Amino acid sequence: MAKQEQRETWEDIKEIWGNSSQGEKINFQFSALIKELKANTSQWEKDSIKSDVTKIKSAWKQYKGNVSQWEKDSIAWDLSKISQLFKKFLKKLKRKK
């Protein structure tokens, strides 16, 4: 259920962004920022980031099995509340247009 809510929320964000009068400007700025970041990142930094991500994924897999049901329920509840608040925010944002 939480994944479906997250998917719907993301679709709402994309719709608002796509319909925004500033949408093209934002897309351009992100594209330019990503190009600049890639151009200024050394191979050592890229390798280091890749290594860190691998370590984080490995640690997460080990940790995931040690999470109690209470923790899982708590996380699910938190995500649900965050999604609900975000949906309210998006609705208010749509109304202001």
Side-chain angles (χ1 to χ4, degrees):
M1 183 69 172
K3 286 185 180 183
Q4 180 62 27
E5 287 180 23
Q6 289 174 346
R7 227 179 267 123
E8 290 172 1
T9 302
W10 182 245
E11 290 301 319
D12 288 343
I13 291 170
K14 289 194 304 188
E15 180 182 333
I16 289 171
W17 187 327
N19 294 332
S20 170
S21 62
Q22 299 293 316
E24 285 184 38
K25 182 178 178 183
I26 293 168
N27 282 333
F28 176 75
Q29 288 174 344
F30 272 124
S31 297
L33 181 61
I34 290 168
K35 285 179 185 177
E36 183 179 342
L37 182 62
K38 286 181 178 181
N40 292 316
T41 304
S42 70
Q43 189 59 45
W44 179 85
E45 290 171 313
K46 291 174 186 176
D47 293 343
S48 179
I49 291 168
K50 190 181 245 183
S51 172
D52 290 348
V53 168
T54 302
K55 288 177 186 174
I56 291 168
K57 284 181 179 180
S58 175
W60 175 246
K61 285 180 183 178
Q62 290 175 354
Y63 174 76
K64 211 164 127 180
N66 297 325
V67 177
S68 71
Q69 188 58 46
W70 179 84
E71 290 171 310
K72 290 177 184 176
D73 293 343
S74 178
I75 291 168
W77 186 84
D78 290 345
L79 287 173
S80 174
K81 286 294 175 188
I82 291 168
S83 293
Q84 289 173 4
L85 290 171
F86 199 65
K87 284 182 182 180
K88 286 180 183 178
F89 170 75
L90 291 175
K91 285 180 184 177
K92 288 182 180 182
L93 191 61
K94 283 182 182 180
R95 277 190 242 142
K96 288 185 179 183
K97 284 186 177 181

